Amino acid sequence: MDFKALLDDTTKNTKSFAAAHPEGANGFRAMHRAALVDGALSVKDKELQCIAIGIVKQCNDCIGFHVRAAIKAGATREEVAETVAVTILMGGGPAYMYGARAMEAFDQLSA
C-alpha cells in the first residue's frame, strides 16, 4: 500500500466533506486539537494510542495519519512495533494484519 498516496487522497476527500459540511468538519478538528496536546500523556504517547485504535478499527487512513503524526512527535520504529505488539495481544489476528500495515506506514512515511 502506498501510504503517501492514500493520505493525499484522503486529505482531498476530507477537504471536499469540509466544504460540504463545515460545521461537522470543524467540530471534528476542534476535538482532534483538544485531545492531542501534551498533558498527563505526551502527544507521542497519544499518537501511539491512536495507532493502536486505528489498527483495531481496521482503518488504513487512521493508521497512516497517526503514524505520520507519531513520527513528527518523535516516535521510533521500535515504539511503533511495541504498540503493534500490544495491539495484537488485545486484538488478535486482525490486529496482526493491520499492525503489519502500521509498520509499513512507518517505513514509508519516515523515509
Side-chain angles (χ1 to χ4, degrees):
M1 173 174 292
D2 182 342
F3 276 92
K4 291 178 183 178
L6 174 71
L7 298 184
D8 287 345
D9 186 54
T10 302
T11 298
K12 285 185 234 172
N13 291 337
T14 57
K15 284 181 180 180
S16 176
F17 172 75
H21 199 290
E23 292 165 346
N26 289 336
F28 178 80
R29 286 186 202 124
M31 181 63 205
H32 185 271
R33 283 190 303 272
L36 292 176
V37 297
D38 279 319
L41 296 172
S42 69
V43 170
K44 179 178 79 171
D45 290 333
K46 291 176 182 184
E47 289 296 349
L48 292 170
Q49 290 179 349
C50 290
I51 294 168
I53 293 166
I55 291 167
V56 171
K57 297 300 277 182
Q58 300 175 347
C59 178
N60 287 323
D61 304 283
C62 297
I63 291 167
F65 281 115
H66 291 290
V67 164
R68 185 170 67 186
I71 292 166
K72 183 178 177 186
T76 65
R77 191 172 198 281
E78 292 78 18
E79 289 170 321
V80 173
E82 286 189 21
T83 298
V84 169
V86 171
T87 307
I88 292 167
L89 168 67
M90 299 305 291
Y96 191 6
M97 301 302 114
Y98 279 83
R101 288 193 186 270
M103 296 307 300
E104 178 185 21
F106 186 92
D107 291 342
Q108 289 179 19
L109 298 172
S110 65

